[in-house]
Amino acid sequence: MATERTLSIIKPDATNRNLTGKINAKFEDAGLRIVAQKRIKLSMEQAGKFYEVHKERPFYGELCEFMASAPVVVQVLEGDNAIAKNREVMGATNPANAEPGTIRKEFALSVGENSVHGSDAPETAAQEIAFFFSGLELVG
């Protein structure tokens, strides 16, 4: 197995409900280590830049507004096959389709307010991690 790093974001719907610790426990219980973490408040401009890949999609504006609506926790998770493991722990984007025990099944409010974001590929992970963290902040 390859040791990887992936970006994780605990979204506003989860930070507003004080679920950061419960969500992080799920990552750690799955064998992922948190090697960088900070709580931030994204501006609309920052959210727009981060989600720029979705700019042409109908949900882009709503997504940016949601992500800028309250603090988020951005973090880097590390472990064997961290990208796939993180996505497994998060569960399906639609909480109705998520497996029992996953973050989205337990905590998501809707498809849009689904509590967490995770990178989907090694290239995406590298770009997303660099968006929020300098190399000096990765202390795993």
Side-chain angles (χ1 to χ4, degrees), residues 82-100:
I83 295 166
K85 176 59 72 178
N86 180 35
R87 296 186 73 74
E88 179 183 317
V89 172
M90 288 190 310
T93 301
N94 183 342
N97 300 331
E99 292 294 320

Side-chain angles (χ1 to χ4, degrees), residues 51-65:
Y51 286 106
E52 196 167 40
V53 67
H54 299 302
K55 192 170 188 143
E56 300 305 318
R57 296 201 169 164
F59 61 81
Y60 174 75
E62 186 178 331
L63 173 61
C64 293
E65 286 178 21

Side-chain angles (χ1 to χ4, degrees), residues 8-139:
S8 167
I9 302 176
I10 301 176
K11 295 181 177 182
D13 63 293
T15 61
N16 279 339
R17 292 178 290 143
N18 204 29
L19 297 173
T20 301
K22 290 178 181 180
I23 290 171
N24 282 339
K26 287 194 171 287
F27 293 135
E28 292 177 336
D29 289 347
L32 296 167
R33 290 180 350 125
I34 300 167
V35 298
Q37 181 182 70
K38 55 188 166 186
R39 184 180 180 94
I40 61 173
K41 174 77 168 63
L42 292 170
S43 68
M44 276 294 290
E45 182 180 338
Q46 291 165 323
K49 181 82 173 145
F50 182 76
Y51 286 106
E52 196 167 40
V53 67
H54 299 302
K55 192 170 188 143
E56 300 305 318
R57 296 201 169 164
F59 61 81
Y60 174 75
E62 186 178 331
L63 173 61
C64 293
E65 286 178 21
F66 168 60
M67 292 300 290
S69 69
V72 297
V73 174
V74 293
Q75 54 196 7
V76 178
L77 305 176
E78 181 180 80
D80 291 335
N81 296 311
I83 295 166
K85 176 59 72 178
N86 180 35
R87 296 186 73 74
E88 179 183 317
V89 172
M90 288 190 310
T93 301
N94 183 342
N97 300 331
E99 292 294 320
T102 62
I103 292 167
R104 288 176 172 153
K105 188 65 161 187
E106 290 188 21
F107 303 124
L109 300 174
S110 66
V111 173
E113 294 181 313
N114 62 18
S115 298
V116 285
H117 164 91
S119 305
D120 61 4
E123 304 78 27
T124 309
Q127 292 169 350
E128 291 181 344
I129 290 168
F131 186 89
F132 290 109
F133 295 96
S134 75
L136 293 174
E137 295 175 294
L138 304 174
V139 294

